[in-house]
Amino acid sequence: MTDFRELVRQARDEGIAELLGGVVVRDGSGRILLVRRSPEDYLGGWWEIPGGSLEPGEHPRDGAARELAEETGLTGLALAYLHAADFTGRTGLRARQFAFTAAVPDGAPVTLTEHDAHRWARPDDLPEVSGHHREILARLR
């Protein structure tokens, strides 16, 4: 079992300023749910996995589940830890996203609140995603 308290402490010791949670959602056909950032947002038009910043003291799994529910309406999914990837955030500070996986049946309804589109993509046919999302998705292979 992963000790997230230790992983969070280690991230802080390494100078990571922002912690995030994200979820790689796969459907029954093995496709990955991606959401597209609105054009006016930072990295507008790019695709990403659902996720966002953790609240102070929030467990990464809880934060990932919260962000998934807020951004897509998907709730009650079993999350399994996949990988953590570092990147430089919009403020120029170092950030680390803890990524989890979850599964849904084909045709699961997605209700967007923060993004302008969603799509189900095959892992070998991804649209434009950031480097840290590509790193996370490569862990699925």
Side-chain angles (χ1 to χ4, degrees):
M1 179 146 239
T2 305
D3 181 356
F4 285 100
R5 287 185 308 259
E6 177 59 23
L7 290 178
V8 168
R9 185 198 60 73
Q10 182 180 20
R12 295 296 189 206
D13 288 350
E14 293 172 10
I16 300 295
E18 185 175 6
L19 300 174
L20 299 93
V23 183
V24 178
V25 180
R26 294 183 91 167
D27 70 6
S29 297
R31 297 173 301 175
I32 299 164
L33 174 63
L34 297 173
V35 293
R36 188 174 64 195
R37 298 182 75 85
S38 298
E40 65 278 356
D41 200 2
Y42 176 73
L43 297 178
W46 284 44
W47 295 86
E48 62 187 6
I49 63 173
S53 296
L54 300 179
E55 300 293 333
E58 186 174 39
H59 188 285
R61 183 178 291 111
D62 296 340
R66 176 185 50 75
E67 287 287 342
L68 179 65
E70 289 173 3
E71 294 182 1
T72 68
L74 296 171
T75 61
L77 304 180
L79 303 184
Y81 181 61
L82 176 65
H83 179 65
D86 293 353
F87 64 101
T88 301
R90 72 179 77 195
T91 61
L93 299 175
R94 291 182 63 209
R96 181 167 294 165
Q97 184 168 39
F98 295 99
F100 298 84
T101 60
V104 297
D106 286 352
V110 175
T111 305
L112 298 178
T113 59
E114 299 177 20
H115 297 82
D116 71 348
H118 79 279
R119 72 187 281 188
W120 294 94
R122 298 219 170 271
D124 59 350
D125 188 25
L126 296 174
E128 187 73 35
V129 296
S130 67
H132 81 280
H133 283 110
R134 193 163 295 282
E135 176 185 339
I136 288 167
L137 294 170
R139 292 293 178 141
L140 294 172
R141 297 183 190 131

